[in-house]
Amino acid sequence: MSAERLPMVVPAADLPDRVRIYEVGARDGLQNEKGAVPTEVKAEFIRRLADAGLTTIEATSFVHPKWVPQLADAEELFPRVRDLPGTELPVLVPNQRGLDRALALGADRIAVFASATESFAKANLNRTVDESLAVFEPVVRQAKDAGARVRGYVSMCFGDPWEGAVPPHQVARVCTALRNMGCDELSLGDTIGVATPGHVRGLLNLLDEEGVPTDEIGVHFHDTYGQALANTYAALEHGVTTVDASAGGLGGCPYARSATGNLATEDLVWMLHGLGIETGVDLDRLTATSVWMAAHLDRPSPSRTVRALSHKDQ
Ligand code: MG
């Protein structure tokens, strides 16, 4: 690799030494792609991500196949990858049935998906916020009893397509409820990508005041308005050390109206490595993986870094 294909390393003061990247491409990414990907391609994708140095890779969702047909093969996929050495493989479960399926296959990292807003809870979960939290409570308890670590996603933390701006105290209430039921970690989702750095700082400050420990917080930014890395930087300044990202920006097809715009893992790694922050990720291997996956999806990766690094002439 030529020297110009790595960022110059210039550390900034008061940022974390290391960031844990929580890779969501195989689940959040593929669930938002139009077509279903063959199970063995998904398994190979996850193996390649692990080989590129990612240590937390959300593998799939044990949701009813009717709701997310792209992930209907969870039962076949998970056993193919669950023994990858040195790799945590969380799986999403929407309810008790999903948890039972996941635990039966030996999953020991579980995620549940809550909403900060009533409109999205209704649209996505067909329940009120409190009704959905009531569904999760026994699920989280049983997962904890089984020895699993549990992550609580909170979607629509910054803006909601029906409700507009989301009051931070509303987010804090859901975060606190998830922690009280036993979640070990939270992921603050900017599901429609509208957050800006001051907004991120404001929410994280409020969560401090509400007693939510920063080391239990992950951030999940979407690049819909080009703000994902700026927002990530604001979160790093606050001390957040877990950042969600999707290899190649999967799930964020810029040409589709359904664009969700997941932050691309490669774009994140370029910034973090330039800041001298360790990730354990080999950017060349990761980029090669996203180029390989883009060929399977028959469209280019929307990641700027993947495009830059895969053009040999630059
Ligand atoms: Mg996402």
Side-chain angles (χ1 to χ4, degrees):
M1 188 170 68
S2 56
E4 69 272 19
R5 300 182 72 207
L6 285 171
M8 181 169 154
V9 178
V10 184
D14 301 325
L15 293 183
D17 297 329
R18 187 174 180 89
V19 159
R20 167 191 178 230
I21 297 177
Y22 187 107
E23 170 60 46
V24 299
R27 198 278 302 168
D28 185 7
L30 294 183
Q31 117 173 21
N32 287 298
E33 291 292 331
K34 276 206 191 80
V37 172
T39 306
E40 185 46 36
V41 172
K42 291 177 184 172
E44 180 64 15
F45 181 44
I46 291 169
R47 289 182 205 114
R48 286 177 183 232
L49 292 171
D51 188 54
L54 289 155
T55 52
T56 305
I57 304 170
E58 197 163 273
T60 186
S61 172
F62 286 86
V63 63
H64 194 290
K66 188 172 78 177
W67 301 117
V68 185
Q70 294 94 329
L71 304 183
D73 60 352
E75 248 101 14
E76 297 162 67
L77 172 64
F78 190 71
R80 297 192 196 196
V81 294
R82 69 183 161 204
D83 297 325
L84 273 174
T87 309
E88 297 183 352
L89 293 158
V91 295
L92 195 63
V93 304
N95 50 30
Q96 186 68 48
R97 172 82 185 116
L99 177 68
D100 292 342
R101 292 167 61 202
L103 292 179
L105 291 175
D108 61 0
R109 297 286 186 279
I110 297 293
V112 297
F113 199 88
S115 169
T117 68
E118 294 294 343
S119 300
F120 189 66
K122 200 74 192 166
N124 193 51
L125 308 168
N126 201 26
R127 295 188 175 94
T128 67
V129 168
D130 285 337
E131 284 167 357
S132 64
L133 292 172
V135 168
F136 292 141
E137 189 161 18
V139 173
V140 172
R141 194 186 323 122
Q142 192 190 331
K144 296 291 296 176
D145 287 348
R149 269 183 70 82
V150 182
R151 156 179 267 220
Y153 279 101
V154 186
S155 52
M156 302 295 173
C157 287
F158 297 91
D160 174 286
W162 299 278
E163 300 179 18
V166 176
H169 71 262
Q170 208 170 298
V171 180
R173 185 178 81 85
V174 174
C175 288
T176 299
L178 289 168
R179 289 190 68 237
N180 286 345
M181 66 178 77
C183 285
D184 301 285
E185 173 184 333
L186 303 167
S187 172
L188 307 178
D190 183 15
T191 316
I192 56 171
V194 294
T196 49
H199 192 169
V200 171
R201 188 178 302 135
L203 176 58
L204 291 170
N205 285 339
L206 178 73
L207 292 175
D208 273 352
E209 289 166 21
E210 298 288 324
V212 179
T214 301
D215 64 5
E216 294 180 15
I217 294 175
V219 287
H220 185 114
F221 293 123
H222 285 190
D223 211 24
T224 321
Y225 293 86
Q227 307 298 301
L229 281 179
N231 291 336
T232 300
Y233 195 91
L236 297 175
E237 283 185 316
H238 190 87
V240 168
T241 57
T242 295
V243 180
D244 297 6
S246 177
L250 277 181
C253 176
Y255 312 110
R257 280 185 66 227
S258 62
T260 54
N262 278 319
L263 170 61
T265 311
E266 291 86 351
D267 297 11
L268 173 65
V269 168
W270 184 274
M271 181 179 83
L272 294 176
H273 288 184
L275 287 163
I277 297 172
E278 281 180 44
T279 65
V281 171
D282 181 319
L283 188 54
D284 267 2
R285 281 190 200 178
L286 179 59
T287 299
T289 296
S290 291
V291 169
W292 170 85
M293 195 65 198
H296 279 284
L297 296 170
D298 199 26
R299 66 171 181 82
S301 163
S303 160
R304 308 276 180 88
T305 301
V306 169
R307 289 183 189 189
L309 291 181
S310 59
H311 281 87
K312 310 283 185 223
D313 299 335
Q314 282 187 348

